[in-house]
Amino acid sequence: MGELNGKILALTGGSKGIGRAAVELFAKEGAAIAMCGRTADTLNRAAKELRERYGATVLPIVADIMDRESVDAFTAEVGETFGRIDMLVNNAGESEQHKSDKIVRPVLSEDPVGASYLPASRFSEMDEKEFQVAFERKFFGMLRVTQSALPWIRKANSGSIVNITSTKGIQPGPRTATSAIAWAACMNWTQGLSLELGPENIRINIVSVGGIVTPNLMSAYERWGKGMSEEEYFLPRTQNVPLQRLGTAEEVAEAIYFLASPRGGYVTGQCVATDGGGVRVI
Ligand SMILES: NC(=O)c1ccc[n+]([C@@H]2O[C@H](COP(=O)([O-])OP(=O)(O)OC[C@H]3O[C@@H](n4cnc5c(N)ncnc54)[C@H](OP(=O)(O)O)[C@@H]3O)[C@@H](O)[C@H]2O)c1
């Protein structure tokens, strides 16, 4: 018997990285899992592993958070299968990093200000499309899934939502104008929505992450870190972090679990930075 027996979790992006670690934890505690991703193979493999390991009820659904119809089909299937959604985790997302002609080193979001290899701002080379894409991927993806899932969360009479963002939305680094402002929008929106949903007994919180070792982060290293060791490549992300290392997906999953589950029952409109202490705001 786990502490989440009978509870229903819907999570976007459950096949890899942070989402994969989170569904592991919730399944271990007995929750039924509904999760989406765009790639059937990896999604179904993750579902099979959870069933085998924990005897969990798992509903993998191929869906793309960028597409409203696909999102509505996802939430409808979850709702019709389980009757409600107790916990929603908005995790799915991806980023792209751009290289500028003037940059003598790959773009890293936490490049230390003043480092010798930092070129002049890339801002003057950016077009509006870059900003629109970032908003579409991060803010509208999250908004779309939340709006679509809400009727099913209301049926639970005491739901919770956790939005995964980046600490860049709190403390922007150089050259991250697009994703940083999109994450900031996600966080501002989350806090505002907590006021509206609180009286309905629905909590909504944020887990904002720093550099976390996941397939997403490692693909950036493979792309940009040619000829560099991992330590060298990730140094800008760790040297200003008190814990002096990247985080793990399992560590982020613990924060998600606390906020989404009844353990965080009196917490709403809050942000837990899971970033080794990189953001120093209380
Ligand atoms: N890792 C970090 O250092 C870091 C830092 C800041 C913020 N974040 C944020 O944390 C979240 C998780 O990141 P991660 O590092 O765990 O990423 P990841 O390893 O790439 O995993 C992303 C998951 O989301 C799914 N996904 C991606 N785009 C999707 C879409 N449009 N629709 C549905 N599913 C989608 C992926 O499956 P498919 O590819 O099959 O769709 C996969 O299951 C993301 O929102 C990311 O931006 C991560």
Side-chain angles (χ1 to χ4, degrees):
M1 287 284 281
E3 69 175 1
L4 296 182
N5 271 9
K7 296 279 185 197
I8 317 298
L9 168 76
L11 178 142
T12 61
S15 60
K16 286 188 284 185
I18 293 168
R20 178 71 185 81
V23 289
E24 191 83 21
L25 201 50
F26 283 80
K28 193 172 166 190
E29 285 301 332
I33 313 285
M35 59 187 188
C36 76
R38 294 163 303 179
T39 318
D41 267 11
T42 45
L43 193 65
N44 291 332
R45 198 176 322 128
K48 184 167 175 275
E49 284 168 12
L50 293 175
R51 289 187 197 110
E52 284 170 359
R53 224 167 273 165
Y54 308 108
T57 300
V58 189
L59 181 65
I61 300 167
V62 173
D64 184 347
I65 63 158
M66 303 292 278
D67 177 71
R68 182 74 202 216
E69 264 183 45
S70 178
V71 166
D72 286 345
F74 168 61
T75 57
E77 190 171 343
V78 180
E80 280 155 21
T81 304
F82 297 112
R84 65 179 199 282
I85 294 172
D86 295 300
M87 300 166 285
L88 169 69
V89 178
N90 279 309
N91 161 74
E94 58 184 353
S95 308
E96 61 187 5
Q97 297 187 324
H98 298 263
K99 195 165 185 172
S100 154
D101 288 346
K102 295 179 199 142
I103 288 175
V104 293
R105 192 187 154 119
V107 177
L108 268 185
S109 52
E110 280 83 14
D111 289 334
V113 177
S116 58
Y117 54 78
L118 271 180
S121 167
R122 199 172 72 82
F123 175 68
S124 47
E125 300 171 14
M126 296 167 85
D127 62 21
E128 287 180 23
K129 184 103 176 73
E130 264 189 58
F131 289 86
Q132 281 159 356
V133 168
F135 261 88
E136 195 41 49
R137 282 196 171 144
K138 301 183 188 312
F139 178 66
F140 286 105
M142 202 172 267
L143 179 135
R144 199 173 282 134
V145 176
T146 305
Q147 225 170 30
S148 180
L150 260 176
W152 297 106
I153 297 174
R154 290 194 166 107
K155 287 186 192 287
N157 294 321
S158 66
S160 69
I161 302 169
V162 176
N163 292 333
I164 312 306
T165 70
S166 160
T167 50
K168 280 182 256 170
I170 305 167
Q171 182 173 281
R175 299 181 297 176
T176 59
T178 53
S179 57
I181 60 170
W183 287 129
C186 293
M187 295 201 251
N188 188 291
W189 166 72
T190 301
Q191 200 164 46
L193 192 57
S194 73
L195 307 177
E196 192 176 322
L197 296 181
E200 294 187 68
N201 204 18
I202 298 173
R203 300 181 296 107
I204 180 164
N205 291 289
I206 302 155
V207 171
S208 70
V209 302
I212 308 297
V213 181
T214 63
N216 181 31
L217 195 77
M218 295 316 289
S219 70
Y221 167 61
E222 277 150 32
R223 185 171 175 201
W224 301 108
K226 296 204 169 51
M228 296 164 107
S229 67
E230 278 183 35
E231 201 185 6
E232 209 183 339
Y233 176 77
F234 288 119
L235 190 65
R237 283 182 179 248
T238 55
Q239 66 187 3
N240 292 325
V241 168
L243 294 182
Q244 299 276 293
R245 63 172 176 86
L246 298 170
T248 66
E250 289 71 23
E251 288 168 325
V252 180
E254 293 286 348
I256 297 172
Y257 187 94
F258 171 73
L259 290 173
S261 73
R263 290 190 188 197
Y266 198 47
V267 182
T268 195
Q270 301 303 307
C271 173
V272 174
T274 308
D275 68 339
V279 163
R280 290 177 276 281
V281 178
I282 297 173

